[in-house]
Amino acid sequence: MSFLEFNLTPSIVEAVTSMGYKTPTAIQTESIPVAMKGGDILGIAKTGSGKTASFVLPILNKLQHTKPVEKNRQPKVLVLVPTRELAIQVVGVFKEIAYELPRAVRAIAIYGGVSINPQMKAVYGAEILVATPGRLLDLQKSNAVELSKVKILVLDEADKMLNLGFQKEMEQIFRLLPKERQNMLFSATLSDQLTGIKNVLLSDPVVIEIEEKEGGISLINLMGYFVSDDRKGPLLRHLIREKNMQQVLVFTSSGLKADKVAGKLSKNGIQALPIHGKKSQSARMEALRKFKSGELQVLVATDLISRGIDINELPYVINYE
Ligand code: ADP
Ligand code: MG
């Protein structure tokens, strides 16, 4: 299978090729043709399986075949995501591909924790919004955005959005959308909560569930250490030093714990920063940027923040709890 077979606009195929994609992943192979036909999709595939391009490519392709309209505050595409980091990452994929296209398409990220004014301005003329629910509603309430012309709705990492308690806000948003539209819901897991939202949102969807192949994680070694709570900190430091770990992502169960673990590492001369929902957006972005570029040795994160975040060949992940 090659990207050529989807009948996508040639410049989209060129763009993904220049991004290093040679063949579509399983979820892309199944989703892209359905999405291109305008059908509703429920796509379940594990993290790292390429869900983003499964909706980005057909969406950009669709827009290539429509005439650019006069600038307004009425986006045609809405992608809802659970975190600010994911909004930035997903909009990055849209932009990278859109950059190569003959018909210009503007995609912007909408998320809280930063000043709302620049986003109010940026919405003007944006055809694609990638948004966290709360800030999108703020913009809507202040008449900076009008959602009645949305033709395509995507929920990315939908299970996480429900876990984070976005259900009410999501339902509020759904009510602002026109009835006639395409819906795509992507998730790493299929939870009971998800079944609920699937039933209200999707009409006669194509369900695409990519099974994890056996041996699919052969590149990953798993190890567990059983220690009492008070020995965890010293063991963590020992492992980082002993194995000379240069890029380590540590998961904790709460923001408070992330602060504590990162603080303790720093005190002991191991470069570490915490990242969680209580941190300012600039601190979060800076920590993530440093970690991705290899400047920062240890990033201590809550699971919720790190969901969907893509880091190439991350060598070490430690689940602290
Ligand atoms: P998911 O949302 O399923 O967790 P992503 O869409 O974030 O996965 O993709 C994970 C990584 O795989 C990204 O670095 C992305 O650029 C890369 N990727 C996606 N599709 C392909 C492909 N067809 N070929 C090669 N790499 C791909
Ligand atoms: Mg994803």
Side-chain angles (χ1 to χ4, degrees):
M1 179 85 199
S2 118
F3 280 100
L4 288 167
E5 289 169 57
F6 293 123
N7 216 5
L8 291 159
T9 280
S11 40
I12 291 185
V13 179
E14 278 163 35
V16 290
T17 308
S18 67
M19 284 162 73
Y21 296 11
K22 293 199 177 71
T23 54
T25 64
I27 184 85
Q28 290 161 5
T29 303
E30 308 249 341
S31 305
I32 291 172
V34 179
M36 284 174 74
K37 278 195 210 120
D40 278 10
I41 292 180
L42 172 64
I44 312 289
K46 68 171 184 246
T47 300
S49 57
K51 294 190 288 298
T52 317
S54 304
F55 58 84
V56 169
L57 302 189
I59 286 171
L60 288 175
N61 191 67
K62 175 87 175 268
L63 292 177
Q64 282 310 293
H65 293 289
T66 63
K67 281 209 197 81
V69 290
E70 235 177 277
K71 282 190 170 184
N72 57 34
R73 298 188 168 276
Q74 301 170 322
K76 299 194 190 82
V77 177
L78 175 62
V79 181
L80 292 177
V81 295
T83 65
R84 309 163 195 175
E85 282 74 13
L86 200 56
I88 294 166
Q89 184 177 296
V90 169
V91 98
V93 179
F94 272 113
K95 283 183 172 164
E96 197 170 350
I97 299 170
Y99 186 74
E100 314 270 333
L101 301 181
R103 170 190 173 314
V105 177
R106 216 155 70 78
I108 63 160
I110 296 294
Y111 50 86
V114 293
S115 157
I116 196 169
N117 292 340
Q119 294 179 1
M120 284 180 162
K121 286 202 190 109
V123 168
Y124 184 70
E127 286 177 277
I128 302 173
L129 300 191
V130 182
T132 53
R135 175 56 65 90
L136 179 68
L137 283 169
D138 291 344
L139 284 172
Q140 191 272 333
K141 278 172 203 145
S142 43
N143 291 322
V145 68
E146 224 259 295
L147 298 174
S148 66
K149 294 288 184 298
V150 169
K151 295 268 185 302
I152 305 177
L153 171 71
V154 178
L155 304 192
D156 190 23
E157 311 292 356
D159 54 345
K160 272 296 170 212
M161 258 197 285
L162 294 168
N163 282 347
L164 282 170
F166 281 135
Q167 180 135 16
K168 267 226 175 75
E169 288 169 327
M170 276 155 66
E171 279 161 11
Q172 257 175 288
I173 292 167
F174 298 163
R175 280 196 290 274
L176 298 165
L177 304 175
K179 291 242 151 46
E180 198 62 29
R181 57 168 203 265
Q182 180 180 18
N183 301 293
M184 294 185 258
L185 201 157
F186 288 91
S187 179
T189 60
L190 186 57
S191 63
D192 289 347
Q193 276 176 311
L194 207 63
T195 314
I197 212 122
K198 170 195 139 189
N199 291 342
V200 297
L201 196 69
L202 305 177
S203 72
D204 195 17
V206 175
V207 180
I208 300 165
E209 204 168 350
I210 307 299
E211 302 283 334
E212 240 173 89
K213 275 201 214 89
E214 242 178 275
I217 54 161
S218 60
L219 289 171
I220 300 173
N221 290 314
L222 296 171
M223 258 173 270
Y225 298 88
F226 294 88
V227 281
S228 59
D229 225 29
D230 59 322
R231 303 298 302 154
K232 277 190 191 173
L235 174 64
L236 179 65
R237 298 196 289 276
H238 170 78
L239 285 173
I240 290 172
R241 292 207 177 99
E242 176 79 18
K243 296 188 188 288
N244 190 22
M245 298 180 179
Q246 290 307 317
Q247 201 184 23
V248 193
L249 178 60
V250 179
F251 286 136
T252 59
S253 56
S254 71
L256 180 67
K257 206 62 189 265
D259 282 339
K260 282 192 172 154
V261 171
K264 207 62 195 262
L265 287 171
S266 300
K267 260 197 205 122
N268 284 276
I270 297 173
Q271 222 197 359
L273 283 175
I275 183 169
H276 53 74
K278 290 263 156 57
K279 289 268 162 205
S280 77
Q281 185 56 26
S282 56
R284 283 164 62 164
M285 278 163 60
E286 184 61 7
L288 192 61
R289 187 195 62 74
K290 280 189 173 163
F291 185 64
K292 281 190 173 183
S293 71
E295 270 171 69
L296 174 68
Q297 191 179 2
V298 186
L299 185 68
V300 188
T302 51
D303 175 35
L304 293 176
I305 289 295
S306 46
R307 167 55 89 81
I309 295 300
D310 177 46
I311 301 169
N312 262 343
E313 296 178 16
L314 182 62
Y316 293 101
V317 177
I318 296 178
N319 194 336
Y320 198 75
E321 285 153 295

